[in-house]
Amino acid sequence: MADVVRIGLVLPDVMGTYGDGGNAVVLRQRLHLRGIAAEIVAITLADPVPESLDLYTLGGAEDYAQRLATKHLLRHPGLQRAAARGAPVLAICAAIQVLGHWYETSAGERVDGVGLLDVTTSPQESRSIGEVASTPLPEGLTEPLTGFENHRGGTVLGSAARPLAAVTKGAGNRAGDGYDGAVQGSVVATYLHGPCLARNPQLADHLLAQVVGPLAPLDLPEVTLLRRERLAAPRRV
Ligand code: GLN
């Protein structure tokens, strides 16, 4: 790792609904608060995707925008190379679909994905909308996850991908399946907006620790308050 941790914000011009770009800001801020230098590198449709960054975040998107992103990531495979050497990748909502084998848009068109995740996505009968709470499954993640979802696509995992969490409120990957997200290699994907890492600091530190090593705890009362409020929030549609 270089002196400055470099956080890739991948295609914020087309992927970043509901403030998902805030995940990169949270990662940078949690490093700054511990005295570790960090910067966000925004990669737009005008840039090739660099493979040298320390970690990467991708946000949600509307169907058309996520198609543009998919084509760009396939044309410039820096993210795939970075993931292959173990760089952490956080993928939110549309990004779990984009990183899969393929997804079908709400209009029924099938688009080839990036293939980093053993998942496929097809439209559900109705959109999944509202607050989500879940119990994370990977070792080291002990705090419930909170976020909100808004997606038509329903994602099914193959055997190489493990779910990120068991849903206790909301739909997650596909209504009725009971799980949210996918973990495969260094990729962590979830349907949770929020931004996800603003609501789930333990997940943020879990990703950062893979880059900088174990981190001292951070006590941020406003985050504790936000979590308490959101975990108690009813699901409204
Ligand atoms: N367009 C995708 C869907 O509806 C993802 C939406 C999102 O990222 N919020 O399934």
Side-chain angles (χ1 to χ4, degrees):
M1 194 193 83
D3 292 348
V4 179
V5 176
R6 303 181 80 209
I7 302 159
L9 176 58
V10 181
L11 302 177
D13 43 349
V14 278
M15 298 190 81
T17 48
Y18 312 125
D20 286 340
N23 289 319
V25 177
V26 170
L27 290 168
R28 182 182 60 186
Q29 185 66 8
R30 293 186 73 79
L31 289 171
H32 282 175
L33 289 170
R34 282 137 162 157
I36 300 170
E39 65 181 20
I40 296 172
V41 178
I43 303 144
T44 73
L45 284 178
D47 311 309
V49 183
E51 62 183 273
S52 58
L53 304 182
D54 294 301
L55 69 169
Y56 295 78
T57 66
L58 298 91
E62 300 308 322
D63 283 5
Y64 184 74
Q66 90 182 57
R67 241 182 54 182
L68 295 177
T70 311
K71 304 257 178 286
H72 192 79
L73 293 173
L74 287 171
R75 194 172 311 127
H76 303 282
L79 181 73
Q80 296 86 310
R81 293 196 186 117
R85 69 170 160 77
V89 176
L90 175 70
I92 307 293
C93 198
I96 188 176
Q97 305 175 4
V98 167
L99 296 191
H101 298 302
W102 52 260
Y103 58 89
E104 262 169 32
T105 65
S106 336
E109 186 190 356
R110 186 178 287 203
V111 181
D112 281 336
V114 169
L116 276 179
L117 289 173
D118 185 15
V119 309
T120 57
T121 301
S122 312
Q124 307 182 94
E125 231 161 78
S126 55
R127 291 187 82 79
S128 299
I129 304 172
E131 286 291 323
V132 183
S134 64
T135 306
L137 302 172
E139 211 178 310
L141 290 178
T142 52
E143 304 285 337
L145 298 172
T146 161
F148 68 90
E149 61 185 336
N150 184 352
H151 55 106
R152 175 84 195 279
T155 297
V156 175
L157 273 53
S159 58
R162 311 303 306 159
L164 172 66
V167 169
T168 51
K169 175 165 63 184
N173 288 341
R174 192 170 64 162
D177 283 6
Y179 292 100
D180 173 62
V183 179
Q184 187 174 341
S186 61
V187 182
V188 173
T190 172
Y191 271 101
L192 299 185
H193 300 285
C196 179
L197 298 184
R199 290 202 195 184
N200 300 289
Q202 191 183 47
L203 181 58
D205 285 354
H206 177 80
L207 296 169
L208 290 172
Q210 292 167 49
V211 179
V212 298
L215 285 160
L218 263 187
D219 185 22
L220 302 175
E222 60 274 32
V223 176
T224 310
L225 202 65
L226 172 71
R227 283 180 56 74
R228 193 177 311 142
E229 185 212 286
R230 297 326 300 168
L231 282 165
R235 184 166 166 98
R236 294 199 190 91
V237 175

